[in-house]
Amino acid sequence: QTGGYHRTSAENADRNGQRQTAAGAQLKYSGNKLHWGISTVYYRFSKSIEKADRPYNLFALQGNNFINAAIDYSYTFRNLHVFGELATDKNLHPAMLSAAVLSLHSNVDAALVYRKMARAYQSVNANAFTENSSPVNEEGFYAGLSIRPAAAWRLDAYADLARFPWLRYRVDAPSTGKDFLVQLNYTPGKQAAAYIRWKTESKWMNLDDEVFTNHHVSALTKNNVRLQLSIALSRALSLDHRAELIINQAPDSSRPTGHSNTQGFLSYLSMACAPARSNWSGNIRLQYFETDGYNERLYAYENDLPYSFSIPFFYDKGIRYYLNLQWDISKIYNASKRKTMRISIGGKWAQTIYAGKTSIGSGLDEINGHRHTEAKLQLIVKH
């Protein structure tokens, strides 16, 4: 049980049902230009991890004890910085990543990354620069470039090519992927910033087709365009605006073009206020979204309470608004302890209103109606 919910007898029965033992060690050296390290980590669970009996899970993380070892390095020579890591699990399945960051000119920087993870590599908490959510079953090459042609302008671009030797979730065959991005940034000063981004990616996925008995695997292309604008109207007041469009293209033999297009759109306007010498601050957002379905969902970072963050996604059609407020109540001076106590209260109210829906979610999370409301309250005491 990892969701934190204890709403039913079954969920309560799963509480405290798993024990974990972890141990690790690291030896490292750091010099002026060279760094290297040797690491190992061990995990043991009281119950075995078992995945669903699916072909793509043939090499997935399973069992109740795991051992990983790795060698990492980094070296800097003038305008070149290289770094990487070579790792293995207890069955000697390898995973590696090697990268280089190079300053080609005072206004031009480049980055190169190569990674290769065996399809059967297993690690509990590994995190790496990969297309997959975990570093496994992937080989890829990434190249990025950043150019500053003028003081206020910067052009960023990258290309990422990947290959997946084994099956993946919703991909019943070995596959490949391509990801390209170009972004133009304009920052005329501290009071304003803007950028326009174009991104396209192509990945193979299962397609439902009545002609084939098994899943038909074909490429799905996603095209994304985003415009972002930020303006500081004063030291206390700032505005942010975003407009974003996504267009998905999937093969469709029934259409004259040979493919079908589905779309998604999102736009919001945010305002943040933090008056100088004031004990309160806040921000507010109004957002509209409309998509053809879940595959056209769009993500948007949201301001939240301190020590929290939120990046929700949106699909179907509706509007969303939220309000954050922070209030620094007082600074209490305790003469006996010679300390200052700071107390602050924060709150967030957010609501998503869907068009044409009579219910939201399913199962225990189902809400009758077309409004999804969130309320948070936080008290912070600092000594």
Side-chain angles (χ1 to χ4, degrees):
Q1 182 66 268
T2 59
Y5 293 114
H6 306 102
R7 302 163 296 185
T8 64
S9 57
E11 290 177 348
N12 278 311
D14 289 336
R15 187 179 181 183
N16 299 323
Q18 177 75 277
R19 294 182 181 273
Q20 172 186 303
T21 302
Q26 183 183 62
L27 174 66
K28 60 181 180 180
Y29 166 82
S30 295
N32 293 331
K33 297 181 179 180
L34 174 66
H35 160 89
W36 59 262
I38 302 175
S39 307
T40 183
V41 64
Y42 167 77
Y43 290 98
R44 182 176 180 84
F45 298 94
S46 59
K47 297 179 181 178
S48 296
I49 297 175
E50 297 181 2
K51 299 290 186 177
D53 187 14
R54 300 287 187 272
Y56 65 85
N57 279 333
L58 182 62
F59 303 101
L61 188 72
Q62 297 192 48
N64 71 332
N65 66 88
F66 307 91
I67 301 175
N68 295 91
I71 299 174
D72 65 277
Y73 67 90
S74 68
Y75 180 72
T76 303
F77 178 73
R78 295 182 180 178
N79 296 332
L80 174 66
H81 179 68
V82 296
F83 59 94
E85 183 178 1
L86 174 63
T88 183
D89 60 18
K90 66 178 182 179
N91 297 315
L92 301 182
H93 298 123
M96 65 86 64
L97 182 146
S98 185
V101 179
L102 175 64
S103 180
L104 301 174
H105 185 270
S106 59
N107 294 326
V108 181
D109 297 320
L112 303 172
V113 181
Y114 174 75
R115 74 267 188 188
K116 185 174 183 180
M117 292 83 180
R119 62 183 183 180
Y121 177 72
Q122 296 192 349
S123 181
V124 176
N125 291 318
N127 188 18
F129 188 92
T130 58
E131 280 289 326
N132 286 324
S133 57
S134 58
V136 62
N137 183 37
E138 181 172 333
E139 180 180 12
F141 179 76
Y142 167 96
L145 193 66
S146 181
I147 304 173
R148 297 173 294 279
W153 296 88
R154 190 180 81 245
L155 179 66
D156 298 326
Y158 74 72
D160 191 13
L161 307 177
R163 183 176 68 91
F164 312 103
W166 186 246
L167 284 60
R168 299 192 300 154
Y169 175 65
R170 297 183 65 190
V171 188
D172 291 349
S175 60
T176 60
K178 297 180 291 185
D179 189 358
F180 304 96
L181 179 143
V182 177
Q183 179 172 310
L184 182 62
N185 306 273
Y186 177 60
T187 310
K190 295 182 179 180
Q191 287 73 37
Y195 71 81
I196 184 169
R197 173 194 295 175
W198 171 78
K199 184 177 186 294
T200 181
E201 58 179 329
S202 178
K203 295 180 181 179
W204 292 74
M205 294 185 65
N206 294 338
L207 296 180
D208 294 329
D209 197 323
E210 296 179 357
V211 177
F212 296 91
T213 303
N214 297 323
H215 282 127
H216 176 47
V217 180
S218 188
L220 174 66
T221 302
K222 295 184 178 182
N223 297 288
N224 181 281
V225 178
R226 176 189 294 179
L227 175 64
Q228 178 90 22
L229 176 64
S230 301
I231 301 176
L233 301 178
S234 66
R235 291 186 177 181
L237 188 64
S238 62
L239 295 177
D240 288 298
H241 171 65
R242 174 183 295 182
E244 187 167 0
L245 175 68
I246 184 172
I247 300 176
N248 289 345
Q249 292 181 335
D252 189 346
S253 58
S254 64
R255 295 179 179 269
T257 59
H259 59 79
S260 61
N261 288 344
T262 51
Q263 301 179 7
F265 175 76
L266 179 148
S267 180
Y268 69 69
L269 179 65
S270 300
M271 181 176 66
C273 185
R277 299 179 182 178
S278 175
N279 61 352
W280 71 272
S281 62
N283 52 77
I284 189 172
R285 174 179 294 179
L286 179 62
Q287 174 179 296
Y288 172 80
F289 60 92
E290 182 176 355
T291 77
D292 291 331
Y294 177 79
N295 287 334
E296 293 71 45
R297 63 193 180 277
L298 289 162
Y299 293 80
Y301 172 83
E302 291 189 354
N303 296 104
D304 213 311
L305 300 177
Y307 312 108
S308 300
F309 71 93
S310 177
I311 311 178
F313 58 85
F314 303 93
Y315 64 97
D316 291 339
K317 182 179 180 179
I319 62 172
R320 178 174 174 82
Y321 68 90
Y322 70 78
L323 172 65
N324 274 312
L325 287 176
Q326 293 293 322
W327 182 28
D328 189 354
I329 297 178
S330 62
K331 294 181 179 179
I332 304 172
Y333 180 75
N334 189 320
S336 61
K337 295 183 179 180
R338 302 290 181 180
K339 290 183 179 180
T340 300
M341 180 183 293
R342 186 173 179 177
I343 303 174
S344 62
I345 293 180
K348 180 177 181 178
W349 173 272
Q351 191 172 70
T352 306
I353 304 173
Y354 292 92
K357 281 194 172 185
T358 58
S359 65
I360 304 169
S362 61
L364 295 173
D365 297 319
E366 184 174 0
I367 299 172
N368 292 324
H370 65 289
R371 297 172 182 262
H372 183 275
T373 306
E374 307 162 48
K376 298 181 180 180
L377 184 63
Q378 183 183 72
L379 173 66
I380 299 178
V381 180
K382 293 183 178 180
H383 292 276

